[in-house]
Amino acid sequence: MIDGLLLGFENLFQPIPLLILFAATMIGFLGGALPGISGTMLVIILLPISYGLDAIPAFILLTTIYASSVFSGLISAILFRTPGTPEAVATVLDGYPMAAKGKPGQALGIGILSSVTGGIFGTLCLIFLTPVLAAFALNFSSPEYFSLAVLGLTVVVSLSGGDLIKGFIGVALGLFIATVGMDPLTGTERFTFDSLELLSGIDLIPVLIGLFAVSEVLRKSKEDHTIKQQMQKFKTKIFDSKIVNQIKGTIFRSSILGISIGILPGVGATTAAMVSYSEATRWSKNKKDFGTGVPEGIAAPESANNAAAMGAMVPLLSLGIPGSATTAVILGAFVMHGLQPGPMLINNSPGLVYTIFISLLLVNILILVFSKPFIGIFSKIMKVPYYTLGPAIIIFCIIGTFAVRNSIFDIWIMLLFGLIGFYLDKMKFPLAAVILGLVLGPIAEEEFRRGLQMANGDLSIFFTRPISAILLGLALIALIVPLVNNFRKKKKA
């Protein structure tokens, strides 16, 4: 591990990677702070650019944007009661009331300190937990990989918001898209309709950009995101000894809770923030004060969501299972670069994995350094209306999609999935479930067929091997428990 971390430092502290890290931090700040543009959308828009880079700078770019955007959602949440990202929803509850009392600088300072502490704690857990899980997973063969992919697909339970039918339909759509093109083992054409463009399959990038970025622009274009209020002048104070003593217990407890929730596939940083806020209320001696602008009400969700964002990287890097919607996109980026996240990644590409660790550690320190000057610049950016930002995003999407394969066909695919994503979102379909099916489907299919070849067609191989059987059992439990809970609620009602 020490050798890996030193290698990560050596890879990161080169001119190009370091420049990308600084630029990605500021891009992530913008994506998280501006309502209507999320970190997930920015990761997707920059996915084609990352394809043209080597693996190390590409993943520095994507993971840094992810980490810094989770933090910066608190800025507009505190100042304008408009969370820039879903992870900052709980921050509004006490952040904005404190700012309304004339203490915006204090509220932002608490948010920055809590975010950085939670982020660093989450990254340290990521560094120590990932190799342990990966070492365990080295015992895996084709049956175990298939079972792991099935377990990953059951993340749809969390991503579907309790509506399993919609979640299954979303996964099924992703699985179907993944079958288009050439059969990976026999070379047989599948669902190509004699089209040369479809012979190589439907590329991941246009689907990702269409489902998430284009559909989001269509949805946000109906809303008014122009902030009418004027930002007042104030001074952000991060290290206030009296406040630090008051919130240190909350930060510690919420960081542990955040990393614990973040590691669970599909739960996400937003859930971690809400749970931590409710737990902070439970542990407080002044429960009635929450919602009026108490420091603990800002510290709890911010330390939890940043820790959870780092925790979501643990199952991605060690097992190849995305821990959130954004890490599902990053999983797609690994596939694009010819890499398979999972137990072999840390053995085959230790330089890449440990460089990601060091860059995530450094970006949390950069948040502490750059957040105050960024808030000053942010006041001017907030005056840009969304009818200007929206078309600019679409243009970047078109350019990025075309740049990957120089294909007009990919642009039409992107626009088609933009419309599909827009209407699926209106019907509350989980778009991340489609991506899960698209990314994990080929893995499940190939490993299933290889497992059958190992056992001469005997299906029992998936149930007689202990690890495979345990993983399939966990997948079954993940599906049954929500059904039982829904049945109990209906019966009680």
Side-chain angles (χ1 to χ4, degrees):
M1 185 184 289
I2 292 171
D3 290 340
L5 291 171
L6 290 173
L7 181 60
F9 270 109
E10 185 181 339
N11 288 337
L12 182 61
F13 284 89
Q14 303 290 333
I16 298 299
L18 212 53
L19 181 63
I20 288 174
L21 181 77
F22 281 95
T25 302
M26 298 309 295
I27 292 169
F29 278 4
L30 275 175
L34 282 171
I37 302 177
S38 64
T40 305
M41 183 188 288
L42 278 178
V43 168
I44 292 165
I45 291 172
L46 293 174
L47 205 58
I49 294 174
S50 74
Y51 189 60
L53 300 171
D54 291 334
I56 287 176
F59 287 100
I60 290 173
L61 175 71
L62 299 178
T63 54
T64 300
I65 289 173
Y66 172 49
S68 57
S69 64
V70 171
F71 149 74
S72 61
L74 72 89
I75 299 172
S76 53
I78 289 172
L79 296 177
F80 304 115
R81 205 180 184 182
T82 309
T85 59
E87 294 88 351
V89 169
T91 309
V92 173
L93 302 176
D94 276 279
Y96 183 74
M98 184 180 284
K101 288 179 179 178
K103 299 178 182 178
Q106 186 183 85
L108 287 167
I110 293 167
I112 293 166
L113 180 63
S114 304
S115 296
V116 170
T117 307
I120 291 174
F121 177 79
T123 307
L124 291 174
C125 291
L126 171 67
I127 291 170
F128 286 103
L129 289 177
T130 301
V132 174
L133 277 176
F136 166 73
L138 284 174
N139 300 313
F140 286 20
S141 185
S142 288
E144 286 77 19
Y145 279 118
F146 165 73
S147 302
L148 189 61
V150 171
L151 180 62
L153 290 171
T154 60
V155 170
V156 69
V157 175
S158 301
L159 297 177
S160 61
D163 194 333
L164 284 179
I165 294 176
K166 288 182 178 178
F168 282 129
I169 293 173
V171 166
L173 177 60
L175 291 171
F176 171 71
I177 296 167
T179 62
V180 175
M182 301 275 285
D183 185 298
L185 298 184
T186 65
T188 307
E189 293 183 25
R190 302 190 298 194
F191 304 111
T192 58
F193 305 103
D194 296 324
S195 169
L196 291 175
E197 287 87 356
L198 289 175
L199 200 60
S200 57
I202 296 177
D203 195 54
L204 180 66
I205 287 181
V207 176
L208 276 172
I209 293 178
L211 283 178
F212 284 96
V214 176
S215 67
E216 186 72 1
V217 171
L218 292 173
R219 188 174 69 85
K220 294 288 185 184
S221 63
K222 293 188 172 184
E223 304 171 10
D224 182 13
H225 295 281
T226 307
I227 301 298
K228 305 298 182 185
Q229 304 103 309
Q230 293 295 316
M231 187 180 287
Q232 299 174 352
K233 290 185 178 181
F234 56 86
K235 186 177 180 181
T236 304
K237 189 174 183 180
I238 298 174
F239 297 102
D240 185 327
S241 57
K242 183 180 177 181
I243 295 295
V244 170
N245 287 329
Q246 185 179 344
I247 63 174
K248 61 184 180 182
T250 302
I251 290 176
F252 177 72
R253 186 172 57 251
S254 299
S255 296
I256 293 174
L257 193 58
I259 191 73
S260 303
I261 293 172
I263 289 172
L264 300 173
V267 180
T270 306
T271 304
M274 297 302 296
V275 171
S276 295
Y277 183 85
S278 65
E279 286 302 307
T281 308
R282 189 197 309 275
W283 284 72
S284 176
K285 296 177 181 178
N286 304 306
K287 296 179 176 61
K288 293 181 180 178
D289 293 338
F290 274 75
T292 63
V294 296
E296 293 92 335
I298 303 170
E302 282 307 314
S303 52
N305 62 23
N306 283 267
M310 300 301 99
M313 296 289 292
V314 174
L316 173 67
L317 295 175
S318 60
L319 301 175
I321 296 176
S324 64
T326 312
T327 51
V329 176
I330 295 173
L331 172 61
F334 274 108
V335 174
M336 275 170 41
H337 281 268
L339 300 166
Q340 181 55 56
M344 294 306 296
L345 181 67
I346 201 163
N347 279 355
N348 296 338
S349 307
L352 171 62
V353 174
Y354 281 100
T355 304
I356 290 172
F357 291 163
I358 298 301
S359 65
L360 288 172
L361 199 59
L362 186 57
V363 72
N364 282 288
I365 297 169
L366 292 179
I367 287 170
L368 198 63
V369 176
F370 289 143
S371 55
K372 288 174 71 173
F374 173 78
I375 290 168
I377 300 169
F378 178 68
S379 59
K380 298 176 182 177
I381 298 171
M382 285 299 290
K383 296 175 183 177
V384 178
Y386 197 76
Y387 59 73
T388 303
L389 289 173
I393 291 169
I394 293 291
I395 291 170
F396 281 121
C397 290
I398 292 172
I399 293 171
T401 300
F402 181 78
V404 175
R405 301 198 300 184
N406 295 330
S407 170
I408 297 293
F409 180 76
D410 282 352
I411 294 175
W412 288 113
I413 290 290
M414 178 201 75
L415 295 174
L416 173 64
F417 277 94
L419 288 173
I420 292 171
F422 174 70
Y423 286 107
L424 286 179
D425 190 56
K426 284 185 73 172
M427 292 184 286
K428 306 297 181 185
F429 269 85
L431 299 180
V434 181
I435 300 304
L436 278 178
L438 180 57
V439 173
L440 294 180
I443 300 169
E445 180 192 1
E446 289 180 38
E447 300 301 344
F448 177 72
R449 290 164 69 179
R450 288 197 182 105
L452 285 178
Q453 287 174 353
M454 287 170 56
N456 295 319
D458 186 0
L459 281 170
S460 65
I461 189 173
F462 299 104
F463 306 102
T464 53
R465 294 171 68 100
I467 296 175
S468 177
I470 290 169
L471 291 172
L472 288 175
L474 290 173
L476 186 63
I477 291 168
L479 293 175
I480 289 175
V481 169
L483 292 172
V484 172
N485 289 337
N486 287 340
F487 176 75
R488 284 179 177 174
K489 286 178 183 177
K490 288 180 180 178
K491 189 176 179 181
K492 188 177 180 180

